[in-house]
Amino acid sequence: MLKLGVIASGHGSNFQAIINAIENKELDAKIEVLITDNPDAYSIQRAKKHSIPIELIERKNFPTRIAFDEKIISTLKSYSIDLVVLAGYMRLLKSQKWFSEFPIRIINIHPALLPSFPGTHAQKDAFEYGVKISGCTVHFVDEGLDTGPIIAQRSVDISDCVSEEEVKKKILVQEHHLYKSVIKMFTKGSFRMEGRRVVYTQD
Ligand code: GAR
């Protein structure tokens, strides 16, 4: 069984979609811990409801970003996590230890078709640019802002959306499906890198 460590800063609908997929037996995985940097994150309520251990690790309690990151890394290690799942975690990974401790084992979901519209306002940026097709991307995380190697993408037709909110909602539905299907891939096979290309082999 794949041991997941989820890191979320906010609402946690992707976190909930993973919880549901595990409870419905669609995913042979277990969420060992929710780590959050935000004491007001609604994700905390979700974890409580499903008896998932919660670790609140706040930036303000650490002298440096590296010390903060290394506390999160050591917490993940203490739960023997196989796969680190960022679900609405709005910070860059600053310590190099992330990548030595969890090589090609940290994933993130982003609400746009990367490399278009990286950053924290992807849906707004796509809507205002006027693109007709956007979508979502699951990628391995590196030290950059949404720059890591792409694992999977799903396109979403946003040509009928009249607001940024509508774009967000329409893409979020697909994020939930995509994230679940990528985590499932980790339970059934392995990934390797060929340059920037992510190659998957099923067991
Ligand atoms: C999601 O749309 C996710 O793709 C986005 O934050 C939202 C979190 O929603 N992440 C990023 O923009 C990362 N650059 P959720 O808390 O309901 O899962």
Side-chain angles (χ1 to χ4, degrees):
M1 187 181 289
L2 191 72
K3 293 181 174 184
L4 308 179
V6 176
I7 311 182
S9 303
H11 187 64
S13 71
N14 278 288
F15 175 43
Q16 185 69 53
I18 299 164
I19 294 172
N20 295 348
I22 292 172
E23 291 187 352
N24 297 338
K25 310 235 178 291
E26 288 172 72
L27 275 182
D28 185 21
K30 184 173 178 218
I31 302 174
E32 299 287 341
V33 63
L34 168 75
I35 296 181
T36 184
D37 57 337
N38 173 12
D40 301 321
Y42 186 64
S43 304
I44 294 175
Q45 309 312 321
R46 298 182 192 274
K48 279 187 183 156
K49 196 167 164 207
H50 295 270
S51 306
I52 295 167
I54 300 153
E55 299 277 358
L56 173 63
I57 301 174
E58 290 184 80
R59 171 66 184 92
K60 66 172 193 209
N61 295 332
F62 296 86
T64 64
R65 257 313 297 278
I66 299 289
F68 166 73
D69 275 25
E70 291 185 356
K71 173 66 181 171
I72 299 179
I73 294 165
S74 63
T75 304
L76 290 163
K77 296 291 283 179
S78 74
Y79 285 89
S80 304
I81 295 307
D82 298 315
L83 182 65
V84 181
V85 178
L86 307 188
Y89 179 58
M90 295 305 194
R91 290 178 189 272
L92 296 178
L93 305 189
K94 293 282 189 187
S95 167
Q96 282 304 311
K97 274 199 184 163
W98 280 108
F99 312 108
S100 54
E101 295 290 353
F102 300 104
I104 58 168
R105 289 267 148 186
I106 310 170
I107 59 174
N108 180 46
I109 189 147
H110 182 75
L113 293 176
L114 291 171
S116 293
F117 309 115
T120 49
H121 308 106
Q123 304 97 323
K124 178 172 188 280
D125 295 344
F127 179 68
E128 287 179 354
Y129 195 95
V131 295
K132 304 304 175 204
I133 304 288
S134 189
C136 45
T137 302
V138 177
H139 62 94
F140 285 115
V141 180
D142 63 11
E143 49 280 286
L145 179 61
D146 303 318
T147 50
I150 292 170
I151 303 170
Q153 294 183 300
R154 193 171 277 209
S155 61
V156 178
D157 184 341
I158 59 165
S159 59
D160 60 344
C161 293
V162 296
S163 68
E164 173 198 336
E165 273 315 305
E166 251 186 66
V167 173
K168 266 190 186 165
K169 275 192 196 152
K170 208 169 175 188
I171 293 177
L172 198 55
V173 173
Q174 297 308 321
E175 289 185 42
H176 299 162
H177 292 296
L178 185 67
Y179 224 2
K180 183 171 71 182
S181 69
V182 169
I183 294 169
K184 195 172 197 163
M185 291 170 83
F186 279 87
T187 68
K188 294 189 176 301
S190 56
F191 290 92
R192 68 174 198 281
M193 301 302 307
E194 281 183 8
R196 258 203 76 90
R197 294 184 59 252
V198 175
V199 180
Y200 180 64
T201 313
Q202 196 157 347
D203 289 340

